[in-house]
Amino acid sequence: EDKVVQSPLSLVVHEGDTVTLNCSYEVTNFRSLLWYKQEKKAPTFLFMLTSSGIEKKSGRLSSILDKKELFSILNITATQTGDSAVYLCAVEATGNQFYFGTGTSLTVIP
Amino acid sequence: EPEVTQTPSHQVTQMGQEVILRCVPISNHLYFYWYRQILGQKVEFLVSFYNNEISEKSEIFDDQFSVERPDGSNFTLKIRSTKLEDSAMYFCASMRDRSSGANVLTFGAGSRLTVL
């Protein structure tokens, strides 16, 4: 059965800390891996990764994919309270389906 | 910026009643999805829709569920006879196409369904 596992399930840090969120997957016919941020309602898109070893960056957030070891990490540096959210990892497989992990709940304390 | 619009934002219904959740995907998108998220649990795939037909569905999407794209813009999810365990946030998502760079799901704000 295809699956996506995220760790840790939750994390509490202080402003300014750096965090690393993990996503491992076992999905047949992998096409891409996506990271989303879910604050109150709809997940909003952060990154899409298709190739191993190429870092995607957006401000303080960055992400990289390892297709050999079947995982991705999402890094957030100099965290702010506005980074508090659930971060979702989703893997797209051929056959038109996306598989989501349970998410990592990040709380940033002032 | 184009967005996926869902209505209603919240619906409360009695067990056994029919519910229709509506979605207007982004206009140039070709692939449409319904997901649900039970409170505190992960986002679960229900069904995908392409070229006016279901392309994939999960085990959750049983005979009580159906989807339609009646008029080329709306994309609806119908639950025929709701059960308590159908209480969840239902997300509609759309995707432009499956080419590299365009295969990003854009989600609507969700419709919260509460079944009493």
Side-chain angles (χ1 to χ4, degrees), chain A residues 63-80:
Chain A
S63 184
I64 198 160
L65 174 67
D66 185 328
K67 286 167 77 172
K68 186 178 171 193
E69 300 298 327
L70 307 183
F71 77 91
S72 172
I73 60 172
L74 174 68
N75 275 322
I76 309 174
T77 59
T79 50
Q80 302 170 358

Side-chain angles (χ1 to χ4, degrees), chain B residues 70-88:
Chain B
D71 57 12
S73 61
N74 290 287
F75 179 50
T76 62
L77 174 71
K78 184 193 289 187
I79 309 174
R80 203 175 352 264
S81 176
T82 49
K83 304 186 285 280
L84 294 176
E85 54 265 38
D86 293 328
S87 295

